[in-house]
Amino acid sequence: MAVHTREAKLDLVTKHIKPFPDFPSKGILFRDICPILKDPVALTAVIDLFEEHVRQTHPQVELIVGLDARGFLFGPLLAQRLGVGFVLVRKKGKLPGPTVSVAYKLEYGEAEVEVQEDAVAPGEKVLLIDDLLATGGTLCAACELMKKQNAEATSMISAGFFSATKTLRRIRASSSSRDIITRRSSC
């Protein structure tokens, strides 16, 4: 069953995100994207939405940068559709060779992410992608990594369905990126 309209695709994707209260710790509402991955129509819909958005608003993108680890699920599919490369932003200690890293705070602790030193060229126009957006800490850290690499983060996209406008303000304040695909949800 093909889904043709943007609204129908958004509705389909929304229905495939499953909330888990108090995971990974009390007070956190985890939104699981695994049902999207299990359903080829929903997966196609989310990649269609990403592709449509990027082609319309950021046709100059030269590289997709996926955030550890679920950005790795959507990122390569989008990169392939756009005909551009894909780069990983991983948790500290997971990439071989020289790396550049940034530490940041999570809702439930602290973490550090890194990118291979030669993965992103200075001036390269990159698009950051993740599955969902919670506090935006990982996304902000990835933006900082791109700044360290002298790359231009043209956009950040997420299948995120959240209601925290504070998160958007924080990310926009810390980045030159222009937009985030979001849709408010009652989850």
Side-chain angles (χ1 to χ4, degrees):
M1 171 185 102
V3 181
H4 299 289
T5 69
R6 184 175 193 280
E7 193 62 34
K9 290 174 185 177
L10 286 167
D11 288 341
L12 179 64
V13 170
T14 301
K15 289 174 187 171
H16 280 79
I17 295 176
K18 187 175 180 181
F20 285 92
D22 299 321
F23 181 83
S25 60
K26 188 152 183 68
I28 307 284
L29 178 61
F30 183 85
R31 290 179 175 93
D32 184 19
I33 54 109
C34 289
I36 292 173
L37 301 173
K38 184 178 176 184
D39 182 334
V41 176
L43 182 57
T44 298
V46 79
I47 300 302
D48 286 351
L49 290 167
F50 286 157
E51 179 186 13
E52 175 185 306
H53 175 74
V54 174
R55 287 193 189 281
Q56 289 176 1
T57 60
H58 302 287
Q60 75 282 12
V61 166
E62 300 169 302
L63 188 68
I64 303 295
V65 177
L67 280 59
D68 197 341
R70 295 184 306 172
F72 304 166
L73 301 171
F74 297 130
L77 296 172
L78 178 58
Q80 182 182 37
R81 290 246 193 120
L82 296 172
V84 300
F86 177 77
V87 168
L88 308 170
V89 167
R90 300 248 15 222
K91 293 177 181 120
K92 181 85 173 150
K94 300 290 184 180
L95 290 171
T99 62
V100 177
S101 66
V102 170
Y104 66 101
K105 292 185 189 261
L106 296 164
E107 294 177 71
Y108 47 86
E110 293 185 7
E112 195 167 353
V113 292
E114 65 184 358
V115 65
Q116 289 175 317
E117 203 172 74
D118 62 352
V120 181
E124 197 161 24
K125 292 173 178 54
V126 303
L127 179 137
L128 299 152
I129 187 168
D130 203 1
D131 64 330
L132 298 171
L133 188 60
T135 65
T138 307
L139 203 49
C140 285
C143 284
E144 286 303 311
L145 279 175
M146 294 305 105
K147 284 180 189 175
K148 280 187 168 185
Q149 296 296 91
N150 295 310
E152 182 184 335
T154 62
S155 184
M156 302 174 289
I157 61 175
S158 165
F161 300 94
F162 63 96
S163 59
T165 57
K166 181 172 88 174
T167 301
L168 277 174
R169 284 193 300 270
R170 183 171 150 231
I171 290 168
R172 286 184 181 142
S174 70
S175 171
S176 62
S177 296
R178 317 282 189 280
D179 57 6
I180 299 172
I181 290 181
T182 61
R183 182 162 183 248
R184 296 190 186 272
S185 171
S186 59
C187 305

